[in-house]
Amino acid sequence: MEQNALALFRRAGALLEGHFRLSSGLHSTGYLQSALVLQHPPDAAVLASALAERVRSLRPQVVISPALGGLIIGHEVARALGVRAIFAERAGGTALSLRRGFTLGSGERVLVVEDVFTTGKSTRETMDVAREAGGVVVGAAAIIDRSGGTIAFGVPHETVVQLSLPTYEADECPLCRQGIPVTKPGSRPG
Ligand code: ZN
C-alpha cells in the first residue's frame, strides 16, 4: 500500500523532490501538496480506507481534523470508519478551536486526522482542542509521515507512508551550501 500511495502522490504531482523553501521558511529536499492527490475523490477514498484500517482497532467515535489541510482526508477516513467528521480552525486569531457549533460528548473517543505529519505541531494543537472539548484522544493519523518516523504524540499514531524529507533552517541548509537553486512552493521546477 505504501508504494501504491506514493504512486498516487507522484502521479498527481503532489510529491516533488529537489530543494524547496516551505511556507514555514524552512528548506527541504521534498515538497508535498496533498490537495493535488485529494482532488481526485477515488484516490482520496483509497488512501483513507488504508488509513482507516490501521486505526479501526482504536475504536474512534469521531474524527477531528485541522482545517484546511486535514479536511478532505479526515472526512474520508470518518466515512470509512462510519463516524462523524468535524474540524478545528483558526478563526480570526492564531489559536486553533473547534468550528462553532461542533461539540464532543464527554469521553468521546477522538481520532485526529491530518494529511501530513511534518513537525506534528498542528496535530498536537488539535489534540489539545479535542481534550478541552471533553474528548479522549485515542490516536492520530496522517497519510504521510515526512519526519522519517521521529515524531511522537503520546498516543498511537498511524500513517500509510513513511518518508524522510528533512527540513533545515535556511542558514543551515546543506542543499544551499552545495549551491543548488531553491524552488518556492507553488512554482513549478523546470
Ligand atoms: Zn536550502
Side-chain angles (χ1 to χ4, degrees):
M1 184 59 215
E2 183 160 20
Q3 288 309 313
N4 291 347
L6 273 177
L8 292 179
F9 268 74
R10 289 203 170 95
R11 187 175 73 190
L15 167 59
L16 301 177
E17 286 146 299
H19 178 199
F20 300 93
R21 184 186 301 122
L22 307 181
S23 55
S24 58
L26 298 174
H27 289 202
S28 177
T29 56
Y31 178 54
L32 285 163
Q33 202 171 9
S34 312
L36 292 183
V37 64
L38 297 173
Q39 72 179 309
H40 305 291
D43 293 349
V46 164
L47 294 167
S49 297
L51 204 47
E53 289 321 304
R54 291 171 187 240
V55 298
R56 194 178 294 278
S57 64
L58 301 172
R59 295 181 294 113
Q61 295 171 300
V62 58
V63 165
I64 303 183
S65 299
L68 281 167
L71 289 187
I72 293 172
I73 190 64
H75 183 266
E76 291 296 321
V77 168
R79 186 208 302 271
L81 292 170
V83 303
R84 287 187 298 143
I86 64 177
F87 59 89
E89 61 185 346
R90 295 180 205 283
T94 53
L96 204 62
S97 60
L98 281 186
R99 163 54 74 83
R100 184 193 303 233
F102 286 146
T103 57
L104 292 177
S106 179
E108 198 166 12
R109 299 172 65 83
V110 174
L111 177 72
V112 173
V113 176
E114 279 258 43
D115 56 345
V116 178
F117 292 146
T118 304
T119 63
K121 182 164 175 281
S122 56
T123 296
R124 287 189 198 92
E125 288 176 347
T126 308
M127 290 168 61
D128 289 343
V129 166
R131 288 173 178 140
E132 282 162 18
V136 173
V137 178
V138 296
I143 308 167
I144 294 187
D145 174 4
R146 57 165 296 169
S147 79
T150 62
I151 48 171
F153 299 109
V155 294
H157 68 275
E158 295 287 345
T159 55
V160 180
V161 179
Q162 290 259 356
L163 282 180
S164 185
L165 296 174
T167 52
Y168 308 100
E169 298 291 343
D171 56 2
E172 295 172 357
C173 176
L175 301 168
C176 283
R177 279 181 197 159
Q178 291 169 45
I180 299 167
V182 66
T183 306
K184 286 180 193 171
S187 63
R188 294 278 149 191

